[in-house]
Amino acid sequence: MKRIQKTRSNKLISLLFLSIALLIGLSSFGQNLSPADFQKKINELPKAPIIDVRTPNEFNQGHIKNAINININDANFINLINKLDKSKPVFVYCLSGARSTNALNQMRNQGFNVVYNLAGGMMKWRAAGLPETTTVNKPAKAEMSLAQFNKLTNTDKIVIVDYYAEWCAPCKKQAPILKEIEAEKKDKVTVLRIDVDQNKEIVSINKITSIPTIIIYKGTKVLHKKQGFLTKAELIKIINKNL
């Protein structure tokens, strides 16, 4: 009986150590780092590849120094990342963190040992005032100045400012709702859409760290601010309350 109990005890201990080992392995594989820690880790591992998984257009407009652009939406994404050394650490990031988290999971499935993910992506990186670089091909469209932004929002109408990106699925869902509201209440409501990839200064000043983000103004007063999708009913309720 004592031998059976001892055997069971040894099995439990073995299972406990195995569980701990698995947890350590999982935590060491994918680590979400703050912008400051991400930069610190890059400095510690200067030879580790930095993978920007955004679109080429986003990458061209501003990226972390020495980053390589491998678009996660490219049909050849898996083949391209499999060319990297899976036994060594890799850094990944995107604009807000969603696509890089997807990339991290795919890389886990492909057998990568350690992947560091920038939590909050380039939006958090920019909000922290950390450096970025651009390619030679700069966007033709000029950024909106703070003076232009203030002029457009400081009116007697209610102004709905929609921070979005072309690639963002919830943003695409939000756009037609805003268009409907503007058409229905054109005498009282104006919609201003801000492309976060094209207007970094405004995004930084207004501390926008995720998309979509809706900020509703009347004059210089902020009536409402929310990160994430808003239904038409929610928006109408806020507007009617402040007319």
Side-chain angles (χ1 to χ4, degrees):
M1 178 65 72
K2 288 183 178 180
R3 181 176 294 178
I4 292 171
Q5 289 177 339
K6 186 176 181 181
T7 301
R8 286 177 178 173
S9 178
N10 289 339
K11 285 183 179 179
L12 287 171
I13 292 170
S14 297
L15 285 170
L16 178 62
F17 277 111
L18 178 61
S19 298
I20 293 170
L22 285 170
L23 286 171
I24 292 171
L26 286 172
S27 63
S28 65
F29 166 78
Q31 295 185 24
N32 292 316
L33 302 180
S34 69
D37 289 338
F38 196 78
Q39 186 184 50
K40 182 180 178 182
K41 186 63 72 172
I42 287 173
N43 293 336
E44 292 172 359
L45 302 168
K47 294 184 179 180
I50 307 167
I51 308 302
D52 184 321
V53 300
R54 299 176 297 163
T55 64
N57 184 52
E58 292 175 89
F59 179 82
N60 291 340
Q61 292 171 34
H63 55 265
I64 295 173
K65 186 178 179 181
N66 298 323
I68 303 165
N69 185 210
I70 304 180
N71 183 4
I72 194 168
N73 294 321
D74 191 321
N76 204 32
F77 177 74
I78 294 295
N79 291 333
L80 291 171
I81 63 167
N82 277 332
K83 292 179 180 179
L84 302 172
D85 188 340
K86 298 178 183 180
S87 67
K88 295 180 180 178
V90 179
F91 295 93
V92 295
Y93 72 92
C94 63
L95 182 65
S96 62
R99 285 174 288 177
S100 60
T101 299
N102 183 5
L104 183 147
N105 291 330
Q106 292 192 48
M107 293 169 82
R108 185 201 307 271
N109 293 335
Q110 293 301 313
F112 281 81
N113 284 348
V114 180
V115 180
Y116 297 108
N117 181 36
L118 174 57
M122 284 300 290
M123 295 189 78
K124 288 284 189 180
W125 181 272
R126 289 165 181 162
L130 293 171
E132 61 182 296
T133 186
T134 60
T135 61
V136 176
N137 299 318
K138 293 185 179 181
K141 187 177 178 181
E143 286 196 30
M144 181 185 292
S145 69
L146 180 59
Q148 289 172 319
F149 177 84
N150 289 337
K151 185 177 179 180
L152 290 168
T153 54
N154 188 9
T155 75
D156 56 356
K157 289 185 177 183
I158 288 177
V159 181
I160 304 174
V161 182
D162 173 30
Y163 290 90
Y164 76 101
E166 293 293 344
W167 52 266
C168 168
C171 299
K172 291 178 181 178
K173 185 179 176 183
Q174 188 75 74
I177 292 174
L178 295 174
K179 189 175 181 180
E180 283 179 19
I181 291 173
E182 187 174 36
E184 292 169 6
K185 296 181 177 292
K186 59 185 177 182
D187 296 331
K188 298 176 181 178
V189 175
T190 297
V191 174
L192 176 61
R193 303 194 75 222
I194 305 288
D195 186 331
V196 297
D197 289 321
Q198 298 281 356
N199 298 280
K200 298 171 194 171
E201 182 184 7
I202 298 297
V203 167
S204 177
I205 289 170
N206 289 313
K207 303 185 187 305
I208 305 302
T209 58
S210 69
I211 51 173
T213 290
I214 298 287
I215 303 181
I216 302 176
Y217 294 86
K218 191 168 187 180
T220 57
K221 183 182 178 182
V222 175
L223 303 177
H224 188 83
K225 180 177 180 179
K226 183 186 176 184
Q227 295 177 343
F229 176 80
L230 278 169
T231 65
K232 184 175 180 178
E234 289 173 318
L235 286 163
I236 292 295
K237 184 178 179 180
I238 297 164
I239 291 166
N240 288 341
K241 182 180 177 182
N242 292 281
L243 284 176

